[in-house]
Amino acid sequence: MSLPDRVKIVEVAARDGLQNEKQFIATDVKVELINRLTAAGFANIETTSFVSPKWVPQMADATQVMASIQRNPNTLYSVLTPNLKGLEGALASQANEIVIFAAASESFSQRNINCSIAESIARFEPVAEQAKQAGLLIRGSISCALGCPYEGEIAIDAVVDVAKRLEALGCHELDVADTIGVGTPNKVYEVMRTVTEHIDPAKISGHFHDTYGQAIANIVAALNAGISIIHSSTAGLGGCPYAKGATGNVATEDVLYLLHNMGIQTGVDLDAVVDIGQWISAQLGRPSFSRAGNALAARKAG
Ligand code: HMG
Ligand code: MG
């Protein structure tokens, strides 16, 4: 299979990247992060989550964040919505896309959204219906597609099954997520090839956490399997509160460095993202997790 000429990056630092931070990050910092990401050229920015603040306190300012960002009409601003209450927030704040998030693992579904996989799909039905009526795009995320922190191995059939159910709800995009970063290239290739036997590859994205340092290799495997949408997080920020020990998403700087040097376009300004990665890491009081980001920043500093 030939590699794509162009890859769409879904930038998730403001949501997946920040949701696990213990200290509350000022709303102004979140807003500046999103504004700078918008200026860097991302076509899709995961902005915040309309979830229970008891479950994820860091996202409690979702309404204020959405009200304060400067939007580019060519950028999609996505928000996570686990239920109808979340959808209300998404509609009131004029999000472009909602993300309904399910799992291929029963145990993870319980820990993350407090219900079984089947219950979650039933809960998403009215959310998707009302979102469609309001003209919102709907994306579906499938956690633990490459392994689960509670159950270990996950059958590929379980991933395919959830993907089909989310597609039936009207999702235009489906995220195959390696929540805890345990995947390796052969497995990623197999999962992506199997899922794309059932669903158009143009609808499938790869969402890789980099816990075991495999994410860049996994992205190459996913591209070889026909995938052309990749999620990443500036400075490699991130982790799921319900996946203990899982570290951040693959760093956007590393992904852009990889893709651009492979001759694959993204429409994103790597140089700008390097600066954003250094800036947000300084805001959080630690070095960036991005290897390419740090190397390029050092080169710039001369
Ligand atoms: P629950 O406790 O079963 O729900 O939580 P509930 O309906 O009983 O509500 C409990 C309280 O939350 C109530 O407040 C509700 O009003 C409130 P109280 O009456 O006690 O004061 N509530 C809400 N508040 C604001 N917005 C809402 C909302 N819903 C209820 N939307 C629930 C169920 C799904 C709400 C909860 O489990 C939850 O919010 N979970 C979110 C978990 C989460 O955000 N996880 C991280 C994102 S997923 C992820 O990171 C994975 C991903 O990156 C892919 C990958 O890497 O795998 C996408
Ligand atoms: Mg994630």
Side-chain angles (χ1 to χ4, degrees):
M1 166 128 1
S2 62
L3 292 172
D5 297 332
R6 193 174 177 91
V7 159
K8 175 173 121 173
I9 303 285
V10 178
E11 167 55 51
V12 301
R15 196 282 302 170
D16 208 345
L18 297 185
Q19 70 180 8
N20 207 27
E21 288 293 326
K22 297 284 169 283
Q23 294 281 84
F24 189 76
I25 296 150
T27 305
D28 286 355
V29 172
K30 291 171 180 151
V31 169
E32 183 170 348
L33 173 63
I34 296 156
N35 288 346
R36 290 177 72 152
L37 293 170
T38 297
F42 291 97
N44 193 337
I45 298 176
E46 227 172 66
T47 310
T48 186
S49 302
F50 286 95
V51 296
S52 166
K54 289 187 188 133
W55 285 66
V56 186
Q58 190 61 251
M59 298 284 111
D61 58 358
T63 298
Q64 295 94 304
V65 168
M66 289 297 283
S68 309
I69 55 173
Q70 284 160 8
R71 303 187 197 202
N72 178 332
N74 299 320
T75 299
L76 294 178
Y77 297 90
S78 316
V79 298
L80 268 61
T81 56
N83 53 20
L84 280 169
K85 185 158 186 175
L87 178 69
E88 273 171 36
L91 288 171
S93 67
Q94 297 180 317
N96 304 106
E97 178 180 66
I98 61 159
V99 183
I100 50 180
F101 48 109
S105 146
E106 284 294 353
S107 317
F108 189 81
S109 182
Q110 288 292 351
R111 307 273 179 129
N112 195 37
I113 49 175
N114 207 17
C115 63
S116 69
I117 297 170
E119 282 162 352
S120 74
I121 300 293
R123 192 184 281 176
F124 297 145
E125 264 169 34
V127 176
E129 201 44 54
Q130 291 183 30
K132 263 184 277 181
Q133 277 167 22
L136 288 185
L137 291 168
I138 310 165
R139 169 147 63 81
S141 176
I142 307 158
S143 282
C144 301
L146 275 302
C148 169
Y150 311 107
E151 293 181 18
E153 283 282 316
I154 293 294
I156 299 181
D157 286 353
V159 181
V160 171
D161 183 52
V162 176
K164 283 181 173 168
R165 292 192 204 198
L166 290 173
E167 190 188 37
L169 290 180
C171 291
H172 77 115
E173 233 167 78
L174 296 153
D175 310 330
V176 172
D178 188 3
T179 313
I180 51 169
V182 288
T184 46
N186 289 359
K187 181 74 188 291
V188 168
Y189 186 83
E190 190 190 356
V191 170
M192 292 301 194
R193 292 293 286 178
T194 309
V195 171
T196 54
E197 278 167 19
H198 302 270
I199 292 169
D200 179 357
K203 290 186 172 180
I204 304 294
S205 78
H207 175 110
F208 299 108
H209 285 261
D210 201 22
T211 318
Y212 292 85
Q214 305 298 303
I216 284 288
N218 290 341
I219 287 172
V220 176
L223 298 178
N224 274 302
I227 303 308
S228 58
I229 308 169
I230 298 294
H231 292 200
S232 63
S233 172
T234 294
L237 300 176
C240 178
Y242 301 100
K244 212 166 189 291
T247 56
N249 298 85
V250 63
T252 304
E253 299 91 315
D254 296 3
V255 176
L256 295 177
Y257 184 85
L258 172 83
L259 295 175
H260 295 176
N261 283 297
M262 288 173 82
I264 299 171
Q265 291 178 22
T266 63
V268 178
D269 179 352
L270 170 56
D271 197 47
V273 179
V274 169
D275 291 345
I276 302 169
Q278 298 295 305
W279 167 79
I280 189 66
S281 300
Q283 293 292 322
L284 299 175
R286 57 164 181 257
S288 163
F289 297 121
S290 170
R291 303 285 285 266
N294 288 335
L296 291 167
R299 208 156 78 184
K300 269 205 225 187

